[in-house]
Amino acid sequence: MTKLLYQGHASYRITTNEGKIIYIDPYMGSHYDKEADLVLVTHQHYDHNAINKMPHKDSTIVFQNMDAIKEGTYVNTNIYGVDINPVPAYNKNHKINEGVGYILNIDGIRLYFPGDTSKTEEMHNIKDIDYAFLPCDGIFNMDASEASLCANIINAKHSVPMHTYPDHLFSEEIAKKFNGINKLVIRPNEEIDL
């Protein structure tokens, strides 16, 4: 069973059916004890790119925003059986050429990790998502109301509020304000079966 652990802020750890360990935007929280097979970074702000926080293997691959965009083109790839499709992420605080979101296909499950962003036109083209993880701090990203609108546009089976307050694991208050379709609240240190 594929598992997803929310570490807090925008940091996640996924364990695939084959036991591969994937960290996404490592920075906050705990549970960095397992050796990484793959580390994904959406952009280079300090609260998303602590790539040495977890132990690495000789075979660990780190895939970052600068790998995801080459000469203005978004680079799709497959690493350890994971389909990685970078998509635009941007707002007034984040330039479009300096960050990405990721649509991942892991064990037949489609997950959308948008990075730091606000509503984008490209979200209208994002389809068939099982889990969408939406930032909603309202300071560096969209607020909970705009994130709820994005959730309704994307129409994922599960819409998850995250990045709820800068440099904090989680804000229950902000999570309560998020009312996107198919809302699912995952709290720090909570692990779910995907």
Side-chain angles (χ1 to χ4, degrees), residues 138-157:
I139 299 170
F140 296 108
N141 295 287
M142 55 192 167
D143 62 13
S145 176
E146 187 176 351
S148 300
L149 173 62
C150 293
N152 296 341
I153 291 168
I154 296 163
N155 194 27
K157 291 179 183 174

Side-chain angles (χ1 to χ4, degrees), residues 52-119:
N52 294 314
K53 194 169 179 78
M54 74 295 293
H56 288 222
K57 304 175 179 179
D58 290 341
S59 57
T60 298
I61 295 175
V62 178
F63 190 84
Q64 304 188 66
N65 55 292
M66 60 282 266
D67 304 305
I69 305 175
K70 296 291 187 185
E71 298 178 2
T73 300
Y74 292 84
V75 179
N76 297 329
T77 190
N78 183 292
I79 300 173
Y80 295 128
V82 177
D83 287 324
I84 303 168
N85 301 294
V87 294
Y90 54 89
N91 58 26
K92 65 181 181 180
N93 301 303
H94 301 85
K95 295 179 181 177
I96 191 168
N97 62 342
E98 294 179 354
V100 297
Y102 292 115
I103 296 174
L104 307 179
N105 192 323
I106 302 174
D107 299 328
I109 301 158
R110 283 173 55 83
L111 305 107
Y112 174 43
F113 294 94
D116 277 4
T117 193
S118 296
K119 179 181 172 290

Side-chain angles (χ1 to χ4, degrees), residues 136 144-145 148 161 164 170-180 183 185 187:
C136 47
S145 176
S148 300
T164 51
F170 189 72
S171 167
E172 287 286 351
E173 180 183 351
I174 299 297
K176 286 178 183 175
K177 292 179 180 179
F178 176 83
N179 61 4
K183 176 180 178 178
V185 176
R187 293 172 177 84

